[in-house]
Amino acid sequence: FDNVFVTPEAFRSFMQTGSWPDKTMFVLELRSAVTEGSINKGGHFQGDLIGIEVEVKDASRFPGKWAFFDFRQSTPSSKPLPASAACYSCHAQNGAVDNTFVQFYPTLVSVAKAKGTFKN
């Protein structure tokens, strides 16, 4: 399971403009899927934390405006992943709005389409 967190200010800006403001930071929490536990007998629910990834939009710091950070290693680093990392090309090619996967969030899709920022 993936949980994505963004600051309320960036979310409000997106809702008004259909794009993410500079200095937006997304935190992606990666969790395992569990099928048995307590009263759950047939579905999947979130389990242990696998890792944390961060995507930051900062035009003054990063050549392509965006940078990715991976905190899954045993010694997490505050250095961005190299530009050759697969996340850069995947987000650039498949991100529906400004390098992000808005297409997986119906509330954001309708806003982006209304504001003309949605890329098919």
Side-chain angles (χ1 to χ4, degrees), residues 56-84:
V56 177
K57 180 179 184 182
D58 190 334
S60 65
R61 284 182 61 200
F62 309 120
K65 290 188 198 174
W66 293 91
F68 296 88
F69 300 80
D70 186 354
F71 295 96
R72 280 188 272 188
Q73 298 92 11
S74 59
T75 55
S77 170
S78 61
K79 294 179 183 176
L81 293 172
S84 59

Side-chain angles (χ1 to χ4, degrees), residues 2-80:
D2 296 344
N3 298 306
V4 180
F5 303 94
V6 66
T7 63
E9 296 80 16
F11 178 78
R12 281 192 289 274
S13 179
F14 183 91
M15 296 302 281
Q16 292 175 354
T17 66
S19 62
W20 300 106
D22 199 44
K23 308 296 189 254
T24 294
M25 179 174 60
F26 295 95
V27 175
L28 175 64
E29 178 187 64
L30 307 162
R31 292 195 167 269
S32 65
V34 180
T35 57
E36 295 181 23
S38 185
I39 62 172
N40 188 327
K41 303 298 181 204
H44 292 82
F45 58 94
Q46 295 183 25
D48 293 337
L49 180 66
I50 296 170
I52 294 177
E53 298 175 352
V54 176
E55 180 180 14
V56 177
K57 180 179 184 182
D58 190 334
S60 65
R61 284 182 61 200
F62 309 120
K65 290 188 198 174
W66 293 91
F68 296 88
F69 300 80
D70 186 354
F71 295 96
R72 280 188 272 188
Q73 298 92 11
S74 59
T75 55
S77 170
S78 61
K79 294 179 183 176

Side-chain angles (χ1 to χ4, degrees), residues 93-111:
Q93 292 171 15
N94 301 302
V97 175
D98 199 19
N99 209 51
T100 63
F101 297 139
V102 167
Q103 64 265 38
F104 300 118
Y105 303 91
T107 301
L108 301 180
V109 168
S110 60
V111 171

